[in-house]
Amino acid sequence: MTTTVKAYGAVSTTDPLEPMTVERRELGPHDVLIDIDYAGICHSDIHTVRGDWGPVTYPQVVGHEIVGHVAAVGSAVTKHKVGDRVGVGCESGSCGECAQCLKGEEVYCLNGNIQTYAGVDVDGTITQGGYSQATVVDERFVLSVPESLPLEKVAPLLCAGVTLYAPLKHWKAGPGTKVAIIGMGGLGHVGVKLAHALGAEVTVLSRTLAKKDDGLKIGADHYYATEDPQTFEKLAGEFDLILNTVSAGLDYGMYVNLLAVDGTLVILGAPTEPVAVDAINLITHRRSIAGSANGGIADTQEMLDFCAEHGIVPETELISADYINDAYERVLASDVRYRFVIDTKTL
């Protein structure tokens, strides 16, 4: 039997989000029913409902930063039990059989994973996300939330956290490495905390120095304004790894020049225009430009456990459901320090 739950979603690319209901599929043998306590607001949510990344089937409930408690489990579920603290991130299913899934990299599923919202679910319906009271997810994609992490702050880790943790791990950030993070926003501030905890020397590259005190307080060793041309002269050849968290267009040639020999610039925020660089600037220093998505289930669980071990949580502002449209406008104006979290009990 399907379950009807209250939600907050979009009905078009231009109308404000509004209260609605969505149907959750019948609990299958390997499914988990989660009562959602909190859902984070990601900039991707806004891009999706406004059609920035392509056509959307409306009504659409977004939200892929989900935390709550297990309310029921299917007959074959072994990973979770009723009452467990759990989370769901950007993906809620995959083929489970391709080379990437078998490696624990479900985010790169070769047959196409199931996005937590605006995807096609196992029953053929459009997936609806976390701005809602409850959801049904395959147990393989349900994460365990450590008891030491305050539940009202955990949600952004399911997207922003793993999106930064995965490349930091893949490119082996740690003691003796110099990491720069472009952007001190919802993603960037979590990246500062993670890179610092991993033991790297951390530099923030932000347009201005407006958030410098925040950056140094949460773990940055250095903080530079990119609107100052001297920044690019002073830091030339400095970094082993640069993580770009902003989606706005950049002069990538200037940032590539900040890489040391064998350094890598990783794109996390997707720009709408092509990335252009001078090939000679790559060739002569064996530099690389790469991209990275969020992370597989193993990396996401590892990230949650790492955050619990090191006491890492995002800086958040808790809001009620009727404030979501205002929160969207503030996200677009960069007027949040640093991530909105919806109290879904207010639905």
Side-chain angles (χ1 to χ4, degrees):
M1 184 176 66
T2 60
T3 301
T4 301
V5 299
K6 293 180 180 179
Y8 220 85
V11 294
S12 76
T13 59
T14 55
D15 289 310
L17 273 66
E18 61 183 52
M20 59 181 58
T21 59
V22 294
E23 297 294 320
R24 295 307 189 186
R25 69 170 187 264
E26 184 176 355
L27 203 65
H30 293 281
D31 286 336
V32 176
L33 173 64
I34 300 169
D35 282 340
I36 300 172
D37 293 312
Y38 302 98
I41 291 179
C42 176
H43 206 142
S44 299
D45 302 347
I46 303 174
H47 283 306
T48 298
V49 299
R50 296 194 172 182
D52 295 340
W53 291 342
V56 176
T57 300
Y58 298 99
Q60 179 64 64
V61 175
V62 292
H64 56 203
E65 301 176 345
I66 301 168
V67 292
H69 291 81
V70 175
V73 296
S75 59
V77 169
T78 59
K79 287 181 60 180
H80 308 282
K81 64 181 186 303
V82 172
D84 284 355
R85 291 157 43 104
V86 293
V88 180
C90 302
E91 289 79 37
S92 56
S94 71
C95 77
E97 299 174 350
C98 71
Q100 294 303 315
C101 286
L102 294 176
K103 285 166 55 179
E105 295 278 11
E106 297 89 352
V107 64
Y108 302 115
C109 175
L110 300 177
N111 293 308
N113 54 48
I114 298 174
Q115 293 293 294
T116 296
Y117 62 74
V120 180
D121 210 346
V122 293
D123 61 357
T125 62
I126 301 299
T127 54
Q128 305 289 341
Y131 298 6
S132 58
Q133 292 177 311
T135 189
V136 175
V137 179
D138 185 299
E139 67 171 325
R140 294 183 299 130
F141 289 81
V142 179
L143 289 305
S144 297
V145 176
E147 290 291 334
S148 63
L149 292 175
L151 206 59
E152 70 275 10
K153 287 186 169 290
V154 169
L157 293 177
L158 277 304
C159 173
V162 71
T163 297
L164 273 296
Y165 184 82
L168 287 167
K169 176 186 175 184
H170 182 80
W171 277 277
K172 299 179 172 56
T177 61
K178 293 184 177 182
V179 175
I181 295 175
I182 304 173
M184 178 69 180
L187 272 70
H189 90 283
V190 178
V192 170
K193 293 187 177 192
L194 290 168
H196 174 73
L198 286 165
E201 183 178 335
V202 186
T203 298
V204 174
L205 302 173
S206 186
R207 190 174 61 83
T208 71
L209 299 178
K211 300 175 183 177
K212 180 177 179 179
D213 289 346
D214 287 357
L216 297 178
K217 181 179 178 180
I218 64 175
D221 298 289
H222 316 285
Y223 201 109
Y224 290 93
T226 57
E227 67 179 8
D228 180 357
Q230 292 185 352
T231 291
F232 293 92
E233 297 175 15
K234 181 174 182 177
L235 300 179
E238 184 76 9
F239 302 109
D240 303 298
L241 179 65
I242 301 176
L243 302 181
N244 177 26
T245 70
V246 304
S247 55
L250 298 176
D251 183 339
Y252 277 90
M254 295 177 66
Y255 287 92
V256 165
N257 198 50
L258 303 184
L259 291 170
V261 173
D262 288 328
T264 303
L265 189 160
V266 184
I267 300 172
L268 305 176
T272 56
E273 62 280 343
V275 173
V277 298
D278 182 351
I280 295 298
N281 209 10
L282 298 174
I283 293 168
T284 56
H285 294 79
R286 202 162 59 193
R287 293 162 169 158
S288 302
I289 294 180
S292 179
N294 43 77
I297 296 303
D299 277 349
T300 308
Q301 187 64 60
E302 183 179 304
M303 176 274 305
L304 287 170
D305 295 339
F306 180 85
C307 288
E309 179 183 352
H310 294 272
I312 295 172
V313 291
E315 304 298 315
T316 59
E317 182 176 331
L318 189 64
I319 64 169
S320 58
D322 60 8
Y323 192 75
I324 291 173
N325 290 304
D326 298 289
Y328 272 25
E329 294 307 313
R330 286 180 57 191
V331 169
L332 294 172
S334 299
D335 179 29
V336 54
R337 295 196 177 181
Y338 283 90
R339 205 76 164 182
F340 285 115
V341 173
I342 304 162
D343 181 349
T344 57
K345 292 186 291 296
T346 62
L347 288 166

